[in-house]
Amino acid sequence: MTMQPRKTALTASLLGVFAAHNCEEVAHFYQDIEALPHRIRECGPWSSQQDFALATALLTGASALALVAGACLPHGKLQQVLVLAPPSALVGNAMSHICRSLIQRRYNGGLMTAPLMAGIAGRLITKAGAGLPARTRWGIYIGSNAATLPLIFVALAAGKRVRPLLPIALSPQTYSK
């Protein structure tokens, strides 16, 4: 089973915007860390911009793998989850940036790309989920967003452990108080 050209273009666009979104977050890493309450800043799994960059790369790669695997599988429940979960989680991610900026009344890394990411992800959900019952689409949306936070923490932990093994030219700058 191959993905239709329109869905393929939407998928490629979504992954490109997600990568740009992650670059925006990485670029504003220290600004966003400083804005967190002290307790969260001290207890969180973030240690350096490089670890965070690797974690976002891992999440982007995992999303790409899920979407490609979903496009290659025959129609079924696993295929539906693999095709709809990443864009569903990205809509939730985008909305969290928008809501956070409204609550905090300030810019946060990822805000500029969030509306575009939500729009493309929403369009892909509409196309890929056409013909599925609303209950199935909502279930995948809720499940993927519930899984997002644990997956982010796993990616951050993996980035922290893997980055020292990689030949990165920049020396890590550990967040300091």
Side-chain angles (χ1 to χ4, degrees):
M1 177 180 180
T2 59
M3 198 179 266
Q4 298 169 345
R6 181 75 176 131
K7 288 182 196 172
T8 302
L10 281 171
T11 299
S13 298
L14 179 60
L15 290 172
V17 170
F18 184 33
H21 175 80
N22 288 338
C23 288
E24 183 186 357
E25 286 185 314
V26 169
H28 293 89
F29 175 80
Y30 290 109
Q31 172 190 330
D32 288 341
I33 289 293
E34 286 293 333
L36 291 174
H38 179 74
R39 182 175 297 251
I40 294 172
R41 196 169 53 226
E42 294 302 311
C43 297
W46 32 79
S47 59
S48 75
Q49 189 176 32
Q50 289 81 12
D51 295 345
F52 184 72
L54 185 54
T56 63
L58 290 170
L59 289 170
T60 304
S63 296
L65 284 174
L67 288 165
V68 169
C72 295
L73 288 174
H75 187 70
K77 290 183 183 196
L78 178 60
Q79 185 266 346
Q80 292 169 354
V81 169
L82 291 174
V83 170
L84 293 175
S88 294
L90 294 178
V91 167
N93 180 312
M95 296 311 296
S96 73
H97 284 278
I98 293 166
C99 291
R100 192 168 107 201
S101 72
L102 292 171
I103 292 167
Q104 294 177 334
R105 296 179 183 211
R106 67 170 199 82
Y107 168 82
N108 62 74
L111 180 62
M112 288 176 46
T113 51
L116 181 60
M117 186 167 73
I120 295 171
R123 186 75 179 134
L124 184 58
I125 292 166
T126 301
K127 289 267 187 205
L132 292 177
R135 183 177 177 168
T136 300
R137 289 191 314 269
W138 275 108
I140 292 171
Y141 180 83
I142 292 166
S144 64
N145 278 283
T148 297
L149 192 58
L151 288 173
I152 289 170
F153 280 96
V154 166
L156 285 165
K160 192 174 190 175
R161 286 192 173 80
V162 172
R163 195 214 25 91
L165 305 174
L166 300 176
I168 296 177
L170 299 173
S171 62
Q173 296 176 350
T174 303
Y175 170 74
S176 61
K177 299 173 198 162

